[in-house]
Amino acid sequence: MQLLALTSAEIAFLSAPAGESDPVCARFTRKLAQTLTARLQLPVQVQLRRAPEGAEFATGTPRWAPDGTLATLWLTRRLGGQRMTGNASSFVPKSLLLTLDASLAECWLDAPGAKPPPALSWQLETPFGAATLGVQLLPEPTDMTRWAREVIRHGH
């Protein structure tokens, strides 16, 4: 009997943290899938992955790290495109970051007392291909709460 190599989706599944013990991570992962599906008008599957080793906390505000594929997909779909061409890796639209901020802020405020990890990372699967998204969070729950309230207050 010969064993087959694991697919990238299987590797991502096996690399994911065991269980969804952190309510912020679990809720935000679901919210992220819903938000991107609605905004991109195509199905988006989201899988929480392990954050990169040695990830550091952000300062001031959470720092998003969408890859070039996600930036290109966002621009393509928001402009009505039906297929992706090129790469927008050097440009991440502010509207994408504001959308992600609003979703994260809502989830954070819905789970009071959560302790943030330094960073989170997701694998995104769409009919257009796979992308990755990461975020570095603020180190203290009080800093995250202050930031989230500010985002919600100003309608970002």
Side-chain angles (χ1 to χ4, degrees), residues 3-4 18 49 55-56 60 79 83 101 104 109 122-123 154:
L3 295 176
L4 299 175
R49 299 179 356 177
E56 296 180 13
L79 295 174
R83 61 188 164 99
D101 278 350
L104 179 59
L109 293 175
W122 297 271
Q123 176 73 31
H154 292 279

Side-chain angles (χ1 to χ4, degrees), residues 39-134:
R39 288 308 215 42
L40 297 173
Q41 298 180 352
L42 58 99
V44 178
Q45 303 272 331
V46 178
Q47 178 71 41
L48 183 64
R49 299 179 356 177
R50 292 184 197 274
E53 293 296 321
E56 296 180 13
F57 282 108
T59 56
T61 64
R63 272 194 311 246
W64 292 100
D67 69 359
T69 303
L70 179 56
T72 303
L73 175 61
W74 183 265
L75 283 174
T76 299
R77 294 300 290 170
R78 298 299 286 163
L79 295 174
Q82 297 301 312
R83 61 188 164 99
M84 284 189 348
T85 58
N87 190 338
S89 62
S90 63
F91 175 75
V92 178
K94 187 172 183 174
S95 60
L96 172 57
L97 300 179
L98 293 175
T99 297
L100 296 173
D101 278 350
S103 294
L104 179 59
E106 288 174 13
C107 291
W108 182 263
L109 293 175
D110 285 346
K115 176 74 174 137
L120 298 170
S121 179
W122 297 271
Q123 176 73 31
L124 312 172
E125 298 289 336
T126 75
F128 285 62
T132 58
L133 173 64

